[in-house]
Amino acid sequence: MKFKIDTKEKIVVFCPEEVALDANLSDDFITTATTLPELNGRNLILDMTLVEKTDEKGVEAILTVYQYMYDNKLSCALTGLNNTLTAALKEAGDDMLNIAPTMAEAIDLIMMEELERELLEGME
């Protein structure tokens, strides 16, 4: 799978460079996105700008990566989704997904959740 990553202080932006995220690429997508060495302790933004279509396995792969992040007490946001991908994810997932129309808004969502976690940890 071809992809581009951009590592920031608290965030890794993962951008698949594939037109279709389907059953053929779903396992590779999960493995690649969840084992990035840069991800260690950082939140994840999935920039799906170049992905034009997906199938059921592709949607499952996106949701698996998303859930993986939260299972590890980190955040995830999706950006760059076309209308078809947005509808498919909302149907398969739930309305609690962090879907942002722009990269700046995705970063804001991640940083707000990060701040929330820090504040909650400080209260314990």
Side-chain angles (χ1 to χ4, degrees):
M1 163 176 259
K2 291 184 195 172
F3 62 90
K4 200 169 37 173
I5 59 167
D6 182 15
T7 307
K8 302 181 183 314
E9 183 182 348
K10 293 186 176 192
I11 299 171
V12 172
V13 178
F14 181 79
C15 181
E17 294 184 323
E18 304 288 346
V19 175
L21 179 57
D22 54 19
N24 294 332
L25 291 174
S26 61
D27 288 341
D28 195 21
F29 175 81
I30 293 168
T31 303
T32 304
T34 58
T35 60
L36 292 169
E38 296 86 353
L39 202 54
N40 189 20
R42 290 187 179 94
N43 301 293
L44 181 67
I45 294 177
L46 295 173
D47 181 355
M48 308 302 281
T49 304
L50 300 175
V51 178
E52 295 174 10
K53 59 185 177 180
T54 188
D55 62 9
E56 190 176 312
K57 287 286 190 190
V59 170
E60 273 180 40
I62 294 168
L63 295 174
T64 299
V65 170
Y66 189 93
Q67 190 59 50
Y68 171 84
M69 295 304 295
Y70 283 93
D71 289 347
N72 287 285
K73 297 181 175 42
L74 294 165
S75 297
C76 187
L78 300 158
T79 191
L81 298 169
N82 63 29
N83 291 338
T84 307
L85 288 173
T86 301
L89 283 164
K90 284 185 176 181
E91 185 180 314
D94 58 39
D95 292 333
M96 298 304 290
L97 293 172
N98 288 330
I99 298 176
T102 66
M103 182 59 71
E105 289 172 284
I107 291 170
D108 287 347
L109 280 169
I110 294 284
M111 297 314 292
M112 282 192 300
E113 284 190 355
E114 179 79 17
L115 182 60
E116 224 176 85
R117 270 194 303 276
E118 288 173 6
L119 290 172
L120 290 173
E121 284 175 11
M123 296 175 129
E124 293 175 356

